[in-house]
């Protein structure tokens, strides 16, 4: 069965989305990721979407939901590598991400995620 | 155009292979990865193949070639997350990887790659 792999890097989880996510794959990712957060006690989730040229409202909503669920499991979500066209589409679609932080690339995202985890709020 | 994203993590590059690589995609990855090693001055390459259930002789050869090319560009390659069935297939296919090191997961691979880069041989 098709699955998007979830890589563990210390207390962070890293997911690279490369394929156009159809509905079932997106929901599988949601299940797998929440399970992985609990299993590994992860404190942060990095989702790289640099390979996505287009994002529709369904995927936008799934990503937002994943962030909200992660937050409930006390992990922060950082979406990295968004292409400019995707940012335009998301705003035009009216997708609002309440619990999502973004960074330009995975390295910057990881640094900022670690800084906020190690910081005074942690 | 379809591409496999290459993530930069410090002086390492991380590639997660999730789709069945047809010939052109594999050769694009080879080009992109060698270009990225030079562009970022990367010293190590981690290739996660945990999502692959099957590997054919073409892909096996491409992965081996990538490792040999990386070595010429002075970067070490570590292939991580191989499923047992894939290991069996590779041996049965007679694929030999001369410049490839392997690790069970990306975390272990990254630790060992960093250790050998920081070690006395570096």
């Amino acid at each position: 069965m098709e699955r998007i792999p979830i890589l563990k890097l210390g207390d962070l989880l890293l997911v690279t989305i490369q394929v156009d996510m159809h509905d079932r794959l997106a929901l599988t990712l949601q299940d797998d990721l929440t399970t992985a957060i609990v299993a590994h006690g992860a404190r942060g989730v990095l989702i790289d979407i640099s390979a996505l040229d287009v994002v529709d409202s369904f995927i936008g909503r799934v990503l937002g939901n994943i962030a909200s669920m992660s937050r409930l499991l006390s992990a922060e979500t950082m979406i990295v590598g968004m292409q400019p066209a995707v940012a335009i589409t998301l705003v035009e679609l009216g997708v609002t991400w309440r619990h999502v932080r973004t960074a330009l690339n995975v390295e910057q995202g990881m640094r900022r995620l670690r800084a906020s985890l190690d910081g005074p709020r942690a």
Side-chain angles (χ1 to χ4, degrees), chain A residues 9 13 15 26 35 55 64 73 78 81-82 89 92 95 98 102 117:
Chain A
L9 294 173
L13 298 176
V15 177
T35 306
V55 166
L73 299 168
M78 179 86 78
M82 189 184 298
T89 310
E92 285 178 352
V95 171
R98 232 181 292 175
T102 55
L117 292 179

Side-chain angles (χ1 to χ4, degrees), chain A residues 37-49:
Chain A
I37 290 171
V38 174
H40 300 303
R43 300 188 53 212
V45 175
L46 280 156
I47 303 179
D48 177 85
I49 60 168

Side-chain angles (χ1 to χ4, degrees), chain A residues 30-117:
Chain A
Q30 190 175 288
D31 285 353
D32 287 353
L33 199 50
T34 45
T35 306
I37 290 171
V38 174
H40 300 303
R43 300 188 53 212
V45 175
L46 280 156
I47 303 179
D48 177 85
I49 60 168
S50 59
L52 297 187
D53 296 320
V54 284
V55 166
D56 60 17
S57 63
F58 173 74
I59 299 304
R61 207 166 50 242
V62 167
L63 291 174
N65 285 350
I66 284 177
S68 300
M69 292 166 194
S70 303
R71 166 71 55 115
L72 289 177
L73 299 168
S74 70
E76 265 201 81
T77 301
M78 179 86 78
I79 292 191
V80 303
M82 189 184 298
Q83 295 188 22
V86 170
I88 293 170
T89 310
L90 285 174
V91 170
E92 285 178 352
L93 287 172
V95 171
T96 51
W97 281 346
R98 232 181 292 175
H99 298 126
V100 172
R101 294 168 65 194
T102 55
L104 285 185
N105 55 54
V106 72
E107 199 167 24
Q108 192 186 91
M110 193 174 287
R111 199 168 45 232
R112 282 166 48 189
L113 209 45
R114 283 208 192 284
S116 76
L117 292 179

